[in-house]
Amino acid sequence: MERWSVRTLRAKIQGLLFERTALSKKPAELARQELAALREEDRLTPDLVFRDPYILDFLGLADAYSEKDLEAAILRELEQFILELGVGFAFIDRQKRIVIDGKDFCIDLLFYHRRMRRLIVLELKIGKFEAAVKGQMELYLRWLEKYEQQPGEDTPLGLILCTDKSEEQIELLRLDKSGIRVAS
């Protein structure tokens, strides 16, 4: 289904893609339902696209780095990063400036997923996930929905990539219902 080259497939095997997918907290029955929907309707769901965790060792970052360093490393190794994200992602912009009520905001990285037909916001956070990031991401998603979403596209999704997740906060915030995913 992914149509990977032999080289890409070997990299995925070395990156333990299968093991990471198997370790995700998604119930097996729900995963089966989503795979059935994919086969029957050729429809990808966000849960089939986004992974957790992402292995970004190819970025070559030292033990201590900032969000700006992480973003720069991702852009330097953009091809490898998109391969880690998965098939269908297209890079659109970095530090996309948006203005709301006269105040400037910047979306860290903006992608488009071709098969899901929607914009994907990637917010980079160093450290543990914090609940306040949900509000920031929702603001970005609603702005994109209002000003950037094209006819025929589905509503934008957000991926918060942080160093450490807080499972209980994520569960209590019901992020999956708001189009936001969190991955480490």
Side-chain angles (χ1 to χ4, degrees):
M1 180 173 102
E2 299 285 353
R3 297 186 183 110
W4 288 328
S5 68
V6 171
R7 190 165 97 191
T8 301
L9 180 59
R10 284 186 180 131
K12 295 294 183 183
I13 291 169
Q14 286 180 330
L16 303 175
L17 174 63
F18 176 77
E19 289 81 356
R20 287 186 286 136
T21 303
L23 289 174
S24 73
K25 300 202 183 316
K26 188 149 213 49
E29 182 56 34
L30 191 53
R32 276 193 286 280
Q33 290 172 1
E34 289 182 1
L35 287 171
L38 176 62
R39 285 187 194 106
E40 293 168 12
E41 305 168 27
D42 195 29
R43 179 178 49 90
L44 277 178
T45 63
D47 289 328
L48 285 174
V49 172
F50 295 121
R51 299 187 187 116
D52 182 31
Y54 289 96
I55 308 298
L56 304 178
D57 55 346
F58 60 86
L59 296 178
L61 293 170
D63 290 338
Y65 53 87
S66 68
E67 290 171 12
K68 188 175 182 177
D69 296 335
L70 177 59
E71 181 181 319
I74 286 171
L75 292 172
R76 184 181 66 244
E77 300 293 337
L78 190 58
E79 180 181 7
Q80 278 296 114
F81 182 72
I82 288 176
L83 286 173
E84 178 64 21
L85 282 178
V87 173
F89 284 91
F91 176 71
I92 293 182
D93 205 353
R94 86 181 272 201
Q95 293 299 311
K96 177 169 180 58
R97 183 175 166 264
I98 62 176
V99 180
I100 302 170
D101 292 330
K103 185 175 178 187
D104 287 345
F105 295 87
C106 287
I107 295 173
D108 287 344
L109 298 170
L110 184 61
F111 290 88
Y112 183 80
H113 195 278
R114 293 180 56 218
R115 296 219 27 224
M116 288 195 304
R117 295 182 334 268
R118 59 176 74 199
L119 293 166
I120 308 292
V121 173
L122 188 67
E123 187 65 25
L124 306 170
K125 295 295 175 191
I126 301 299
K128 193 169 184 117
F129 171 80
E130 294 181 12
V133 179
K134 178 189 181 196
Q136 177 185 3
M137 179 63 82
E138 284 180 333
L139 185 67
Y140 295 165
L141 294 176
R142 298 304 72 85
W143 187 92
L144 288 169
E145 187 176 359
K146 183 175 181 178
Y147 296 107
E148 296 284 327
Q149 185 176 331
Q150 300 294 312
E153 290 180 349
D154 290 326
T155 57
L157 292 176
L159 174 62
I160 301 167
L161 193 58
C162 53
T163 309
D164 192 16
K165 294 183 350 181
S166 171
E167 296 294 341
E168 188 171 14
Q169 283 187 39
I170 292 166
E171 178 187 339
L172 291 171
L173 290 169
R174 298 181 180 174
L175 293 178
D176 55 331
K177 304 236 185 300
S178 59
I180 300 171
R181 302 294 187 276
V182 178
S184 54

